[in-house]
Amino acid sequence: MFRGLYAATSGMMAYNRQQQILTNNLSNAVTPGFKSDITTFRTFPQQLIEKMGGPNSNANYAGTLSVGTYAQEAIPQFTQGILKQTANTTDFALQSSFLPQDSQTNQRRTLVFQVQTANNEIRYTQNGQFVVDQTGVLRTAAGDRVLNRAGEQIQLSSLDFKVDDQGLLEIDGVISDSLWIGYASDPLSFVKEGSGLLRYEGAAENAPVLASTSAIAGTGSPLVSQGFLEQSNVDMTRIMTDMLKTYRGFESNQKVIQAYDQSMQKAVTEIGRV
């Protein structure tokens, strides 16, 4: 009897975790460069069920039984969002749509900016909504320093600058700096840290590298567009549908637990009298 109770409880916990992930997607529906997450579920290790009669009986094994499920992880989807024109010189949208998909994971490879946090840690982002501080340093909206191809902060002497589709920065007709635009062949190894930051935790040989020195170098494809922002790739219709399904799944498991509770109550109050 208690096996079913545990299975229903684990189902409620898994649906609760999925609802949290869907809520986070919904709250970031207007965040530039945000990538939505999907939830993957797994069952706990299955158990062998033995028929009554012991190991000496014929065909004593009845099969296997799963004792529950859990939300294993949230996987970001790196499909490109819609590009929106803003005309702001400090807004940049990465052009990842031309990149191929991985044949095994079906995940699209992607482009990223490189930034440096206040703790001097290297992180990546796809949110190109940058600002220029009072000292002329190009930063993210959260205050992290945007890096150039040399791994240094970008110091601007004028706000009247242009950036070409390869990330080269031009002031008064002279190329003075560049944006670090990286090619990520293994986007599933990124871990979200909040504020649009991504931390790479994969194999060193698959770490993001400069797009100009990567496998896509020489294709001539545009890497970035100035005056545009990539919108969140959250599908509002799908999110609302998934939230309704999650609620119904949670409610179904809740009713199973209520049924078990009623059965155990009868076992205590009625069967115990016999």
Side-chain angles (χ1 to χ4, degrees):
M1 176 182 293
F2 290 105
R3 287 179 181 149
L5 185 62
Y6 296 146
T9 302
S10 68
M12 289 180 64
M13 294 174 66
Y15 279 125
N16 182 58
R17 176 57 181 156
Q18 184 182 32
Q19 192 78 342
Q20 292 175 357
I21 293 172
L22 291 172
T23 301
N24 183 64
N25 288 341
L26 187 63
S27 64
N28 285 282
V30 295
T31 301
F34 179 81
K35 304 303 179 185
S36 61
D37 296 312
I38 61 172
T39 312
T40 60
F41 293 94
R42 289 195 66 179
T43 61
F44 290 109
Q46 294 185 332
Q47 298 178 349
L48 287 174
I49 304 300
E50 188 176 280
K51 290 183 179 179
M52 294 181 65
N56 296 324
S57 62
N58 296 328
N60 53 298
Y61 289 113
T64 59
L65 175 69
S66 176
V67 293
T69 186
Y70 64 97
Q72 181 184 23
E73 61 181 333
I75 301 178
Q77 302 301 293
F78 284 93
T79 54
Q80 182 168 324
I82 298 173
L83 303 189
K84 178 182 179 181
Q85 187 172 10
T86 65
N88 294 328
T89 58
T90 54
D91 286 344
F92 303 95
L94 294 169
Q95 299 271 14
S96 301
S97 58
F98 75 95
L99 297 178
Q101 288 184 327
D102 187 281
S103 58
Q104 295 181 344
T105 64
N106 290 326
Q107 274 280 4
R108 184 172 296 279
R109 289 155 183 167
T110 192
L111 299 174
V112 290
F113 297 109
Q114 191 178 70
V115 300
Q116 188 175 40
T117 68
N119 297 327
N120 294 324
E121 296 176 329
I122 299 299
R123 294 293 184 264
Y124 304 93
T125 186
Q126 293 187 313
N127 185 348
Q129 192 172 34
F130 300 148
V131 296
V132 178
D133 67 13
Q134 295 178 346
T135 62
V137 175
L138 189 65
R139 297 179 180 271
T140 66
D144 300 312
R145 295 183 293 273
V146 181
L147 301 183
N148 60 18
R149 293 184 181 181
E152 301 171 345
Q153 68 181 22
I154 298 176
Q155 187 76 43
L156 297 171
S157 59
S158 170
L159 295 181
D160 185 17
F161 64 93
K162 296 180 180 179
V163 174
D164 68 10
D165 59 13
Q166 299 301 306
L168 296 178
L169 191 149
E170 179 183 306
I171 297 179
D172 296 330
V174 178
I175 296 176
S176 61
D177 215 325
S178 60
L179 290 172
W180 194 101
I181 299 175
Y183 169 66
S185 60
D186 185 22
L188 289 181
S189 293
F190 283 126
V191 176
K192 292 183 178 181
E193 286 194 340
S195 300
L197 296 182
L198 301 170
R199 182 178 73 253
Y200 182 77
E201 289 193 345
E205 60 269 20
N206 295 326
V209 296
L210 266 174
S212 57
T213 62
S214 69
I216 64 171
T219 62
S221 300
L223 304 178
V224 66
S225 295
Q226 185 180 21
F228 288 81
L229 280 179
E230 179 186 358
Q231 302 302 291
S232 168
N233 68 354
V234 171
D235 185 338
M236 294 292 292
T237 302
R238 180 176 177 178
I239 290 294
M240 297 306 296
T241 302
D242 288 346
M243 292 184 80
L244 286 173
K245 289 169 59 179
T246 302
Y247 171 76
R248 289 169 182 167
F250 185 93
E251 189 178 37
S252 297
N253 282 280
Q254 187 180 41
K255 290 180 178 179
V256 170
I257 292 177
Q258 290 174 347
Y260 272 108
D261 181 63
Q262 293 173 1
S263 297
M264 288 186 291
Q265 185 178 12
K266 287 186 177 181
V268 172
T269 58
E270 297 181 14
I271 299 177
R273 296 174 184 173
V274 178

